[in-house]
Amino acid sequence: MHKYELAILKSLQSGKSKTPEQLMTEVSLGKDELLWAVENLSNISLIDIEREKELTITFFPEGEVYANSLLPEDSLLEKLKAKQKIEMKTLTFEKDKIALQWCIKKNLAQVKDGFLVITQLGEKHKVPSNESIFLNSLSKLSSLPKTLTSEEKKSVDEFKSRKLLEIKEKNNIISIKISKKGSEFKDFSDSEHIDELTKEIILNKNIDSLKFKKYDVSVAVPSEIISMRHPLRSLINDIKVTFSQMGFNEISGPIIEPSFWVFDSLFVPQDHPARDTQDTFHLSNPEFLDIDEKEYLKQIKKTNIKAWKIKWNDNEAKSAVLRTQLTSVSVRYIREFVKEFAKDKNQLLPKKLFTVGRVFRNENIDYKHLADFYQTDGIIIGKNLTLSNLFDTLSTFYKAFNVNIRFKPAYFPFVEPGAEIFAQLGEKGEWLEIGGSGIIRREITGIKRKDISVLAWGLGIERMLLLKDKNMKSITEYYNSDLSWLRSRELS
Amino acid sequence: MPNVIFNIDYLLDLVGSRLEKEKLKDILYKLGIEVEHEEENSLTLEITPNRPDLFSVVGLARYLKNFLHENRNFHYNIIKESKQPELNLIVNSNIKKSKLFIHGFIAKDIKLDDNSLADLFNFSEKLSDTLGRMRKKLSIGIHDYDTIDKTVEFKLSSDKKFIHLKGTEPELFSEVLKNTEKGKAYAQALPKTNMFPILEDTKGVLALIPIINSKRTAVSKKTTNLFVEVTGTSEYSVKKINEMLAITLHELGAKIYQINISDGDKKYTSLNFPENYITIPVSQVEAEIGIKIGSKNIISLANKMGYEAALLDKKIRFSIPAYRIDILNEQDVIEDIAIGYGYDYIVLTPVPSIIKGKLLDSTIIFNRISDAFIGAGFTESLSTYLTNEEKNFTKMRMPTPNKKDYILLKDSKSSHITMARTHLLPSLLHVLSLSKHEKLPQKIFELDLIFSMHKNKPIEDYHIACISTNNKQNFNDIKSTIYGILLSLRISFSIAECKHDSFIEGRCASILINGKELGVFGELHPTVLRNFGIEEPSTAFELSLSFI
């Protein structure tokens, strides 16, 4: 037993209950030491403690600012009441965004044609509001009053969820008394038990005769924070390892491409709506990119004109975009293969290649939608390849992730036959589309030999997360997540 | 992808088989048609854009009838001979300026009801919206044949009045464009001339193309004889869609008649249905699917998928139906055979591996670098590549460079996404700005791509960056971390004093590798911290991995 604990026990032997302040002077201990020792003694039931609950308030800096002025929605509403409407473009500061969010949430204002306008509820809402006044009065208190109206309780909950302040329950000790077990305690010689092991003890003392103070193994301690990989990155690594175990070589390619590699070479006609800025990110710098493969350009141009009966526009092919799928990388490698094959017909076949990377869609970003996400794309170039081979390769890949798949006929302009891949959510869950696949059209590969063909697929990686992470609310949580999210991931 | 609503009762009436709804859905899945939405008596189906023939109930019924072996019919020799030409369509020479082509036909003795009339209108709307690219490339008009003369002219006209389909009083074309729903929706599809393409007979205007028909020629349930015209900028599509519509109306019970078209010296009749065959060796069909099917089975699968097929000396000759505008070569036919066989029944055969797979060197090295940061207590973060100038430059105390120096997006739908990031630190600072209430120390890193321009060419470069936020820390702490990590990775480097807008002057250093300045580390400037709402001192590091 620690010497502080022994001193406290001794001073309580009389049986009289004492306040912590009395004990501090009697055994001459600081507050922290005393409370530590008292808790220890209470844990082993040598003393009885009487406590009183207190709810302490701690303000966060953001809350303090509001307490000294107004809640942000009140400030914004005040302005709005004066001006009637505010142009949305002008609300760019972080604090404006917060205010805006709360005004809309509380239905005090709404957005109309790019302007923020006040609602009926907003008109009635007085500034400063009861909440603002209440927040100000709280900032002057150290603990929460025992009686609160239901409205005030609701406000406290809101302040907590907005992280303006923190309410902590504190159990203050008001009196301490020896217990029955404590009054029977005799062994005051326990002071020889060792608390902390030191270098000096290890080197100099007779270790066999030592006694160590016991720890209560059930006492709660904070968990240490573990640094870890991002779960999406772990999944990507698993995917890469799985493909390489299946005999695939990893490849990579550019994100910023002329439309040629993203659309024309994949047989997406030049007037197809998917190419519009509505769906695809075009760039204003660089606006156009050169297509270095002049021969291939000629071939693809001819093929597209023939199949789609369209007028070809060179600038449309050169228009720089952020790739919308990864097959652009595969097509570049098929092109390399065709050139090498023309020189050396004894290439080792099949060639199995895969790539992982990000693709982009011009989306309205919100809590459910992102503009960039990951895909993995793969191809097999080989002799006498079949649809059966394609289905087997993908089934084998997904088996490594315990995912059951099924194929549905589907249309992608650059493959024929084409198949969509569906995975089952859970044992009997719904079937979810997770990717597309097929045998690439000869017009695109430009491989003359009829016995050599190319199997290809593109798979969504975020969709695989959905199959793995049952708690996932939305894919957006995997990007730009806060530290508390990053720290609470499972290691996998 | 086009969504089309199908009335289940009407569909099954046309198929001639009372399928259970679940069975119907299962067959549709096997044919690659997804159910987008389902109601008691209707299905909204996603029809892939390569199969416009399935945009109509009649077309889907035809597909299902063949698939279910019900009353197959491969004969499209549907034209009724008439001694006198049914209708003469004169193409005025001024139409050349509009680059439009026209085809058409007459359908007689048809009995329309609510279902078939709705299907016919929906079908032509879907065709002109999707295949026709919102009527820019193709548009369809259906008229009451009994209200028009035997001679119709297709020409460019100056602005004049007619009573349009929904109108009551004569209105100018230019007014129709401004005042009607269709006018507003499709005015952009008009050819770029100041004249208007119209169809006209002696009684007046039949249609303002591709906008709206006249009231006079309006079609209702009572109409028994139809004049159908297809106009558009692609001669091929105009011809094929004309054929597709004729087949559809024929299947609804109409008698189909050709029309005469005279275009200057060129005189021709519409609807010729040229024979179209693709011949494929049995062995090639089997080789692409990967299963021994046999010629007899291939022929029966072909019939199931709507092709007439015949064996000609180890090869099969497939006759391509006129409504299948998607068939380009033998791969398309083989896909249909595979669908007929059923994707679910295709036995799996592995592709042999001849080599061991290999990861990119960069994958392996980047993983090693990430492991070193995790070992030093940093948690990995992952961010979007797209950002804006305020976050990427201004908040970092950096001037926004010339627009030629970074990747700039055009027409982004989100106002806060305007460019590709040029460095990683703002992404990490953003994460920390969301994490104010998390326990200290906060240590995160990111290894990923950044983008820039060099000599007018886009550059995609990998960077590694980390930030450590704690209530007490300084330049020497981050220096110690960086030395520990870089030395453990056997990266040889030197450091030099430097100035960087985002760091406190005199408390940052640049990292040089092979004599090139590739990185920076130090104490982040308090203004930067405040800009991101971070309240504790933070040290940071960023390095380009271009040397690997």
Side-chain angles (χ1 to χ4, degrees):
Chain A
M1 191 172 288
H2 194 271
K3 59 184 178 194
Y4 297 164
E5 295 165 18
L6 289 169
I8 292 166
L9 265 187
K10 263 187 198 155
S11 110
L12 288 173
Q13 283 298 317
S14 66
K16 253 180 42 193
S17 57
K18 293 179 179 172
T19 65
E21 290 72 23
Q22 282 172 320
L23 271 176
M24 271 159 68
T25 40
E26 279 180 32
V27 296
S28 39
L29 283 177
K31 192 171 181 184
D32 289 343
E33 289 93 348
L34 181 92
L35 291 180
W36 173 79
V38 164
E39 292 291 352
N40 285 349
L41 287 169
S42 161
N43 281 337
I44 49 176
S45 310
L46 293 177
I47 57 171
D48 292 328
I49 297 176
E50 197 187 329
R51 298 176 196 260
E52 189 186 61
K53 211 198 273 177
E54 186 194 357
L55 296 171
T56 64
I57 310 173
T58 319
F59 265 75
F60 291 121
E62 191 186 342
E64 237 165 75
V65 173
Y66 300 154
N68 291 330
S69 53
L70 283 174
L71 282 167
E73 61 268 32
D74 280 8
S75 311
L76 183 60
L77 204 62
E78 197 170 31
K79 264 189 246 165
L80 202 54
K81 281 187 177 186
K83 286 194 190 162
Q84 286 310 311
K85 57 182 186 177
I86 296 178
E87 208 177 343
M88 289 297 290
K89 271 191 268 172
T90 63
L91 299 174
T92 52
F93 292 108
E94 193 62 30
K95 72 168 194 324
D96 291 334
K97 283 186 193 150
I98 296 171
L100 182 66
Q101 184 196 341
W102 284 98
C103 273
I104 288 168
K105 193 164 176 181
K106 292 186 170 175
N107 195 20
L108 302 174
Q110 60 192 32
V111 182
K112 257 193 195 150
D113 311 323
F115 284 92
L116 187 69
V117 294
I118 195 156
T119 62
Q120 276 187 341
L121 201 63
E123 294 280 11
K124 282 187 222 150
H125 188 90
K126 68 176 172 48
V127 177
S129 62
N130 289 341
E131 280 118 312
S132 278
I133 297 167
F134 181 53
L135 184 68
N136 175 273
S137 66
L138 284 182
S139 69
K140 297 186 175 113
L141 303 173
S142 62
S143 60
L144 210 57
K146 292 222 163 60
T147 51
L148 287 177
T149 66
S150 64
E151 201 186 325
E152 285 169 337
K153 273 187 198 146
K154 245 170 78 187
S155 295
V156 171
D157 287 341
E158 185 191 310
F159 297 154
K160 281 196 321 204
S161 72
R162 287 173 72 169
K163 302 216 163 135
L164 304 182
L165 50 78
E166 192 176 30
I167 305 289
K168 274 192 191 145
E169 199 178 293
K170 219 167 117 186
N171 276 315
N172 292 329
I173 297 172
I174 52 171
S175 81
I176 304 152
K177 201 179 150 187
I178 195 129
S179 71
K180 193 164 171 280
K181 193 175 162 197
S183 60
E184 287 157 8
F185 183 81
K186 297 264 162 16
D187 190 9
F188 286 99
S189 65
D190 212 29
S191 61
E192 289 307 305
H193 282 200
I194 287 167
D195 187 7
E196 260 178 70
L197 189 58
T198 61
K199 180 175 173 183
E200 196 213 344
I201 299 170
I202 297 168
L203 293 179
N204 304 327
K205 292 242 171 143
N206 179 358
I207 290 173
D208 292 339
S209 69
L210 294 179
K211 283 181 180 169
F212 291 89
K213 185 197 153 216
K214 278 185 180 169
Y215 275 87
D216 178 354
V217 295
S218 68
V219 169
V221 296
S223 314
E224 189 173 331
I225 289 164
I226 300 301
S227 53
M228 54 180 130
R229 293 223 69 160
H230 193 281
L232 188 50
R233 195 70 72 194
S234 301
L235 176 61
I236 288 170
N237 273 333
D238 292 348
I239 288 169
K240 288 182 175 182
V241 168
T242 305
F243 273 125
S244 79
Q245 283 169 345
M246 289 169 66
F248 283 79
N249 280 351
E250 188 186 4
I251 56 174
S252 70
I255 284 176
I256 299 163
E257 287 273 30
S259 290
F260 176 77
W261 290 107
V262 177
F263 295 118
D264 297 308
S265 72
L266 295 175
F267 223 29
V268 181
Q270 290 204 330
D271 62 350
H272 195 279
R275 302 174 67 133
D276 287 354
T277 52
Q278 273 296 309
D279 293 311
T280 300
F281 278 118
H282 286 256
L283 304 181
S284 48
N285 184 45
E287 201 172 358
F288 299 103
L289 287 168
D290 275 341
I291 301 149
D292 35 12
E293 293 276 354
K294 301 289 177 225
E295 273 299 302
Y296 190 50
L297 173 65
K298 245 192 247 164
Q299 175 196 327
I300 290 296
K301 181 174 166 180
K302 216 173 98 193
T303 310
N304 271 279
I305 293 172
K306 190 175 162 213
W308 305 119
K309 328 283 180 228
I310 46 157
K311 288 190 192 68
W312 177 270
N313 179 346
D314 264 337
N315 267 345
E316 173 56 37
K318 284 183 183 171
S319 175
V321 296
L322 300 182
R323 67 182 175 203
T324 57
Q325 29 67 15
L326 273 182
T327 313
S328 52
V329 179
S330 302
V331 173
R332 276 180 177 275
Y333 274 81
I334 295 170
R335 185 62 200 152
E336 287 307 310
F337 168 77
V338 169
K339 284 196 289 186
E340 280 166 29
F341 192 73
K343 278 185 237 149
D344 171 15
K345 299 271 185 278
N346 297 319
Q347 300 259 340
L348 271 184
L349 290 176
K351 276 197 187 310
K352 297 177 167 187
L353 305 169
F354 82 98
T355 180
V356 180
R358 264 192 234 189
V359 300
F360 300 80
R361 301 280 155 83
N362 193 358
E363 286 267 9
N364 267 316
I365 316 286
D366 58 30
Y367 73 100
K368 257 188 138 163
H369 295 93
L370 287 167
D372 45 348
F373 45 93
Y374 275 101
Q375 282 187 353
T376 173
D377 223 81
I379 47 171
I380 304 178
I381 307 172
K383 271 186 203 165
N384 306 319
L385 293 175
T386 66
L387 202 56
S388 160
N389 290 146
L390 174 71
F391 290 180
D392 180 78
T393 306
L394 291 167
S395 300
T396 307
F397 170 74
Y398 280 110
K399 217 170 269 170
F401 295 89
N402 291 318
V403 173
N404 256 334
I405 61 167
R406 172 177 188 195
F407 297 92
K408 180 178 93 59
Y411 171 70
F412 305 101
F414 59 100
V415 295
E416 200 70 38
E420 265 169 353
I421 305 146
F422 279 71
Q424 197 163 27
L425 267 172
E427 284 262 308
K428 282 182 180 162
E430 58 171 318
W431 290 86
L432 186 75
E433 192 221 316
I434 53 171
S437 65
I439 303 178
I440 299 194
R441 283 188 168 280
R442 288 187 198 294
E443 294 96 328
I444 287 166
T445 61
I447 298 171
K448 300 264 157 41
R449 288 243 316 253
K450 284 219 165 174
D451 60 336
I452 297 179
S453 51
V454 184
L455 309 179
W457 54 88
L459 316 172
I461 289 185
E462 280 78 5
R463 284 295 170 96
M464 285 180 74
L465 276 175
L466 191 62
L467 299 171
K468 265 182 76 165
D469 179 357
K470 292 192 181 62
N471 301 320
M472 181 166 137
K473 285 188 212 84
S474 149
I475 180 57
T476 46
E477 68 186 59
Y478 278 78
Y479 291 81
N480 310 317
S481 1
D482 65 28
L483 203 50
S484 96
W485 187 91
L486 289 171
R487 282 172 169 174
S488 61
R489 292 307 92 197
E490 266 172 54
L491 281 174
S492 56
Chain B
M1 214 173 280
N3 283 339
V4 187
I5 303 170
F6 291 89
N7 175 313
I8 297 176
D9 283 340
Y10 180 45
L11 175 68
L12 294 182
D13 278 351
L14 291 179
V15 175
S17 158
R18 296 304 330 166
L19 282 174
E20 292 283 324
K21 197 168 162 192
E22 286 311 307
K23 174 83 178 139
L24 173 64
K25 278 162 63 187
D26 185 52
I27 292 172
L28 290 171
Y29 182 94
K30 287 183 172 142
L31 288 170
I33 301 172
E34 230 172 302
V35 178
E36 173 70 23
H37 179 72
E38 183 179 343
E39 296 216 0
E40 177 70 31
N41 193 32
S42 76
L43 292 175
T44 304
L45 304 179
E46 267 188 11
I47 307 291
T48 54
N50 62 326
R51 292 298 302 270
D53 56 307
L54 305 180
F55 291 172
S56 75
V57 185
V58 175
L60 183 62
R62 176 198 309 130
Y63 197 25
L64 291 172
K65 258 194 318 205
N66 286 329
F67 192 79
L68 296 165
H69 304 252
E70 309 266 349
N71 311 315
R72 279 184 187 144
N73 177 11
F74 307 124
H75 289 282
Y76 300 104
N77 189 9
I78 58 174
I79 298 152
K80 293 276 165 198
E81 300 290 342
S82 55
K83 294 232 170 73
Q84 288 297 311
E86 272 296 332
L87 185 135
N88 286 313
L89 185 66
I90 319 274
V91 180
N92 190 307
S93 62
N94 75 2
I95 210 77
K96 280 206 174 61
K97 261 189 271 175
S98 72
K99 295 177 180 149
L100 288 172
F101 298 92
I102 188 162
H103 267 271
F105 64 91
I106 308 298
K108 283 189 174 178
D109 302 336
I110 190 168
K111 284 195 192 74
L112 292 167
D113 58 17
D114 286 332
N115 283 328
S116 52
L117 196 62
D119 187 33
L120 200 56
F121 285 142
N122 288 342
F123 187 32
S124 62
E125 287 280 312
K126 276 284 170 218
L127 287 172
S128 36
D129 279 356
T130 56
L131 201 80
R133 302 281 187 254
M134 304 308 284
R135 305 194 186 179
K136 251 187 209 156
K137 207 171 164 183
L138 187 126
S139 108
I140 296 160
I142 305 173
H143 307 267
D144 183 344
Y145 180 51
D146 297 333
T147 66
I148 55 182
D149 282 350
K150 298 274 167 151
T151 303
V152 173
E153 196 180 8
F154 181 39
K155 64 177 184 188
L156 286 176
S157 153
S158 50
D159 203 359
K160 64 179 175 186
K161 288 188 176 183
F162 83 123
I163 307 178
H164 66 76
L165 193 57
K166 299 277 163 70
T168 49
E169 298 289 320
E171 283 175 77
L172 285 170
F173 300 147
S174 52
E175 290 168 348
V176 171
L177 292 185
K178 272 184 230 136
N179 302 337
T180 63
E181 201 187 306
K182 298 275 181 219
K184 283 181 228 166
Y186 298 111
Q188 40 83 26
L190 276 171
K192 305 244 173 314
T193 116
N194 48 8
M195 309 261 280
F196 299 87
I198 60 164
L199 282 170
E200 192 176 40
D201 64 6
T202 52
K203 295 179 202 159
V205 176
L206 264 68
L208 169 60
I209 288 175
I211 313 292
I212 197 163
N213 286 351
S214 69
K215 194 168 194 93
R216 168 175 45 121
T217 66
V219 171
S220 74
K221 268 193 286 182
K222 291 189 197 118
T223 313
T224 51
N225 300 321
L226 304 172
F227 165 47
V228 178
E229 36 87 8
V230 183
T231 51
T233 54
S234 156
E235 188 176 12
Y236 176 82
S237 303
V238 166
K239 210 164 130 187
K240 293 307 284 184
I241 295 302
N242 192 50
E243 290 176 2
M244 196 188 283
L245 286 163
I247 292 169
T248 304
L249 280 162
H250 174 72
E251 284 174 357
L252 282 171
K255 297 191 183 96
I256 306 298
Y257 297 84
Q258 292 172 305
I259 60 169
N260 275 352
I261 302 170
S262 39
D263 181 355
D265 296 338
K266 266 199 299 179
K267 291 194 179 5
Y268 51 98
T269 51
S270 66
L271 295 183
N272 296 308
F273 296 111
E275 300 279 356
N276 184 6
Y277 298 112
I278 290 182
T279 305
I280 316 171
V282 173
S283 59
Q284 192 190 338
V285 176
E286 291 178 335
E288 291 217 12
I289 300 174
I291 307 167
K292 283 255 167 259
I293 303 176
S295 56
K296 231 176 158 182
N297 285 333
I298 293 175
I299 289 172
S300 96
L301 289 172
N303 294 158
K304 198 171 161 183
M305 298 307 288
Y307 300 86
E308 205 173 7
L311 183 67
L312 305 170
D313 182 29
K314 290 185 185 168
K315 287 181 181 171
I316 295 174
R317 193 185 71 175
F318 297 88
S319 150
I320 312 301
Y323 56 82
R324 288 297 299 272
I325 62 166
D326 59 311
I327 307 289
L328 300 177
N329 70 13
E330 70 270 19
Q331 280 177 296
D332 298 284
V333 178
I334 293 171
E335 175 181 56
D336 274 344
I337 302 301
I339 293 172
Y341 187 87
Y343 279 15
D344 285 343
Y345 304 112
I346 292 177
V347 185
L348 305 181
T349 327
V351 183
S353 285
I354 48 161
I355 53 152
K356 269 181 103 177
K358 203 169 152 290
L359 297 178
L360 286 173
D361 287 345
S362 58
T363 293
I364 294 165
I365 295 167
F366 293 167
N367 272 338
R368 221 169 270 161
I369 295 173
S370 295
D371 285 344
F373 275 86
I374 288 162
F378 290 85
T379 285
E380 185 174 30
S381 164
L382 191 143
S383 322
T384 159
Y385 294 167
L386 305 177
T387 183
N388 56 53
E389 283 84 353
E390 195 206 351
K391 185 174 153 196
N392 191 74
F393 301 116
T394 316
K395 281 183 157 184
M396 298 302 288
R397 289 182 82 232
M398 296 161 111
T400 301
N402 186 308
K403 292 207 182 305
K404 283 269 139 218
D405 294 339
Y406 59 97
I407 308 292
L408 210 55
L409 304 177
K410 199 189 272 179
D411 300 328
S412 163
K413 275 189 198 161
S414 299
S415 56
H416 60 281
I417 284 185
T418 54
M419 60 173 287
R421 65 179 177 193
T422 64
H423 53 158
L424 295 177
L425 284 178
S427 302
L428 291 175
L429 283 162
H430 177 71
V431 171
L432 293 179
S433 76
L434 301 171
S435 314
K436 258 185 271 182
H437 307 299
E438 268 298 300
K439 230 177 177 178
L440 294 172
Q442 302 182 347
K443 296 165 82 175
I444 54 173
F445 81 98
E446 183 166 354
L447 190 165
D448 216 327
L449 281 170
I450 62 105
F451 303 81
S452 58
M453 290 290 289
H454 183 69
K455 293 187 177 156
N456 290 325
K457 285 220 164 90
I459 307 286
E460 302 172 14
D461 221 353
Y462 278 94
H463 272 203
I464 171 89
C466 74
I467 298 188
S468 163
T469 294
N470 206 350
N471 44 20
K472 236 181 108 179
Q473 64 176 325
N474 59 34
F475 176 82
N476 285 339
D477 296 325
I478 185 75
K479 185 175 172 183
S480 147
T481 304
I482 297 316
Y483 269 71
I485 290 173
L486 294 187
L487 292 177
S488 79
L489 291 166
R490 304 285 181 270
I491 294 171
S492 27
F493 67 100
S494 61
I495 68 167
E497 219 173 273
C498 81
K499 258 191 182 176
H500 190 295
D501 294 329
S502 307
F503 293 86
I504 298 174
E505 205 179 328
R507 295 192 185 186
C508 73
S510 57
I511 299 173
L512 293 103
I513 294 174
N514 303 326
K516 262 171 89 181
E517 198 180 308
L518 293 180
V520 64
F521 67 88
E523 290 182 35
L524 282 171
H525 197 281
T527 309
V528 171
L529 296 177
R530 198 179 290 171
N531 288 343
F532 282 94
I534 295 168
E535 291 159 4
E536 306 285 352
S538 304
T539 55
F541 154 81
E542 176 150 0
L543 178 69
S544 161
L545 297 173
S546 55
F547 62 94
I548 285 169

